[in-house]
Amino acid sequence: MLDPTLLRQQPAELAARLHATRGYLLDPAALASLESERKMVQVRTQELQASRNKLSGEIGKRKSKGEDVSDLMAQVSSFGDEQKRGETRLDEIKAEIEAIALGIPNLPNDSVPLGPDESGNVEQHRWGSPREFDFQVKDHVELGARNGWLDGETAAKLSGARFTVLRGGLARLHRALAQFMLDLHTEQHEYQETNVPLLVNADAMRGTGQLPKFEDDLFATHVGEGEAASKRYLIPTSEVPLTNIVRDEILEESALPLRMTAHSMCFRAEAGSAGRDTRGMIRQHQFEKVELVTIARPDQSYEEHERMTRCAEVVLESLGLPYRRMLLCTGDMGFSATKTYDLEVWLPSQGSYREISSCSNCEAFQARRMQARWRNPATGKPEPVHTLNGSGVAIGRAMIAVMENYQNADGSITVPEVLRRYMGGVETLV
């Protein structure tokens, strides 16, 4: 969430910035009214507590003298009832303010271009040249169907639409990509490999910004029965458990930057999505990704953002896949991000670049929600850390890109050289 000081002291200015950059409508008058009532109720409850303390002292004195205290007891009881009502209302007001705060997106960094949607994104650079084919290219669905290696029909029988069964060489290629990425990020990029739960609680989802705004895009399950039942969510990305590792923690400066990577299943309901991306493996309810997460000092987070994005680029360059880096505009960034780079890989069947990695700096937005802090040696006081996350990269989309860019006229697929040691030396999938 945003700095509470902005909500309390500058609601009108904040509303103007949010509308100009995010198209988000914040009602500053309603926020100011709640804040004014909060102050009034809080002052009154403090006054009541002080009065009760004073009366309690007087009651003690009278009792020691054997005097009647019934009138004072009645006043204490009256003050107590009013104080209890005030405390209840104070909790309600705080909950209303928190609900508003949790629904407000992050403010963009000054370097982010203004724009309403993806049309406002700005290309930063390109790497590699799209291959020129002397035969009619096939998409990944056609290539995968050749040996029954990519099977959506069987997956639909098992689970419904937007699931896929992989077999044979394609399943091995998928596994090889995950192993390659993990080795690259741990051995060369200094990320610590981490294995995380796929089910998390609501606090974890709230901490990284998935709740309450995006609950419709999540899969949830209930553990236990009756009053003891608790809700657990299937992770949409391992960013959620990785980032929440530092929830409610105070880190020492020596622990930063904390860089973590994880290969995990990811689950997304994809509520409302439709179109060509529902064909094949472009947009699935279940997919796999190698995630990168960094917890950083505020003065180092933008350097870490560039570093993280570069680590994802190295994956694509090592695979020989043409890509471009895009700086997302204000209208296309994710809810928690203050600045985002998307890496888009070339897909020959579509004749266009498609997103394969998104690397974001969230600054202190998630850290405030999680109470994740570091001890600043300059002040000796705990302060919010900055959190960053990125795909390093999406495994299914990387497999699609390899299939399409390395396809041959006979439908076989050449295995990129960096993957062959993970494929038992296989050079071609036939």
Side-chain angles (χ1 to χ4, degrees):
M1 62 177 63
L2 298 177
D3 187 343
T5 303
L6 292 175
L7 292 171
R8 289 195 301 266
Q9 300 180 5
Q10 303 175 43
E13 293 88 340
L14 176 61
R17 290 177 65 189
L18 286 167
H19 185 257
T21 60
R22 291 285 208 163
Y24 182 86
L25 297 177
L26 175 67
D27 186 346
L31 199 57
S33 176
L34 284 169
E35 180 60 24
S36 176
E37 185 182 1
R38 182 195 67 79
K39 290 179 181 177
M40 181 181 67
V41 175
Q42 186 167 304
V43 168
R44 180 56 181 161
T45 54
Q46 290 171 346
E47 289 174 347
L48 289 168
Q49 183 60 52
S51 297
R52 292 185 70 192
N53 292 341
K54 184 177 180 180
L55 285 172
S56 295
E58 185 63 28
I59 289 170
K61 291 179 182 178
R62 284 197 187 184
K63 281 185 175 181
S64 66
K65 297 177 182 179
E67 298 176 358
D68 179 47
V69 296
S70 58
D71 59 330
L72 297 182
M73 292 292 288
Q75 289 185 62
V76 169
S77 178
S78 174
F79 287 164
D81 291 342
E82 185 181 351
Q83 183 180 352
K84 187 174 182 180
R85 289 194 298 272
E87 290 172 345
T88 299
R89 179 54 187 154
L90 194 59
D91 287 342
E92 291 172 350
I93 294 170
K94 289 179 178 178
E96 289 181 54
I97 294 174
E98 182 181 28
I100 293 172
L102 288 174
I104 299 174
N106 203 353
L107 288 167
N109 182 267
D110 290 341
S111 63
V112 174
L114 285 172
D117 50 41
E118 63 181 12
S119 65
N121 296 343
V122 178
E123 184 174 322
Q124 303 290 288
H125 63 249
R126 297 189 182 196
W127 183 92
S129 299
R131 175 183 167 190
E132 294 186 5
F133 293 85
D134 56 5
F135 57 88
Q136 184 67 40
V137 298
K138 298 180 177 66
D139 69 9
H140 72 283
V141 178
E142 295 173 289
L143 291 165
R146 182 168 178 260
N147 293 307
W149 285 352
L150 193 157
D151 187 349
E153 290 185 7
T154 298
K157 179 177 69 174
L158 301 174
S159 305
R162 300 195 203 177
F163 292 89
T164 302
V165 170
L166 296 179
R167 300 187 182 93
L170 211 53
R172 189 171 188 179
L173 178 64
H174 190 271
R175 173 163 56 92
L177 282 161
Q179 291 176 295
F180 158 66
M181 293 177 203
L182 282 176
D183 284 350
L184 179 67
H185 294 315
T186 56
E187 295 172 6
Q188 297 185 32
H189 297 158
E190 300 177 354
Y191 286 85
Q192 181 184 55
E193 185 172 352
T194 311
N195 192 291
V196 292
L198 301 182
L199 281 170
V200 298
N201 56 34
D203 287 341
M205 287 293 191
R206 192 175 296 109
T208 46
Q210 278 76 23
L211 288 178
K213 186 174 178 61
F214 301 106
E215 183 150 15
D216 288 346
D217 284 323
L218 303 173
F219 287 109
T221 184
H222 291 271
V223 180
E225 298 179 356
E227 294 182 0
S230 60
K231 200 171 187 179
R232 295 289 185 272
Y233 294 87
L234 288 163
I235 62 171
T237 163
S238 53
E239 168 204 344
V240 177
L242 285 173
T243 309
N244 273 275
I245 285 174
V246 298
R247 190 175 81 226
D248 297 322
E249 300 286 339
I250 299 176
L251 304 174
E252 296 302 325
E253 182 186 24
S254 59
L256 303 175
L258 174 60
R259 303 184 183 115
M260 298 172 282
T261 184
H263 164 219
S264 76
M265 295 280 191
C266 306
F267 304 88
R268 296 184 186 175
E270 298 288 1
S273 64
R276 63 177 177 172
D277 287 350
T278 59
R279 170 177 162 82
M281 290 185 64
I282 294 286
R283 194 174 294 278
Q284 298 270 279
H285 289 313
Q286 174 186 309
F287 59 97
E288 294 179 43
K289 197 162 53 137
V290 171
E291 187 75 4
L292 305 174
V293 163
T294 299
I295 312 299
R297 283 173 21 187
D299 63 335
Q300 294 179 338
S301 69
Y302 280 93
E303 179 183 343
E304 282 293 322
H305 188 211
E306 296 293 333
R307 183 187 189 279
M308 174 181 286
T309 308
R310 181 60 195 147
C311 290
E313 288 178 339
V314 170
V315 172
L316 301 179
E317 291 175 13
S318 299
L319 291 169
L321 296 173
Y323 71 88
R324 65 179 183 178
R325 182 199 283 202
M326 303 294 291
L327 172 59
L328 299 196
C329 70
T330 54
D332 199 33
M333 286 197 310
F335 178 79
S336 298
T338 188
K339 185 174 183 178
T340 299
Y341 291 119
D342 269 9
L343 301 183
E344 298 179 348
V345 70
W346 178 257
L347 292 186
S349 69
Q350 298 185 13
S352 62
Y353 290 94
R354 301 302 307 274
E355 180 204 337
I356 193 169
S357 173
S358 190
C359 298
S360 299
N361 187 349
C362 300
E363 291 192 359
F365 187 84
Q366 293 177 326
R368 289 193 190 96
R369 298 166 79 108
M370 298 186 301
Q371 285 296 296
R373 296 165 291 171
W374 72 296
R375 195 176 305 281
N376 188 337
T379 63
K381 297 179 180 180
E383 300 174 7
V385 294
H386 280 193
T387 64
L388 304 94
N389 65 82
S391 306
V393 295
I395 298 169
R397 292 194 179 189
M399 185 188 72
I400 290 169
V402 167
M403 293 170 68
E404 293 197 6
N405 282 279
Y406 282 88
Q407 65 179 290
N408 301 308
D410 63 357
S412 63
I413 299 165
T414 301
V415 177
E417 188 173 343
V418 293
L419 297 181
R420 292 174 187 174
R421 69 187 182 103
Y422 301 99
M423 297 282 292
V426 171
E427 297 183 4
T428 307
L429 297 180
V430 297

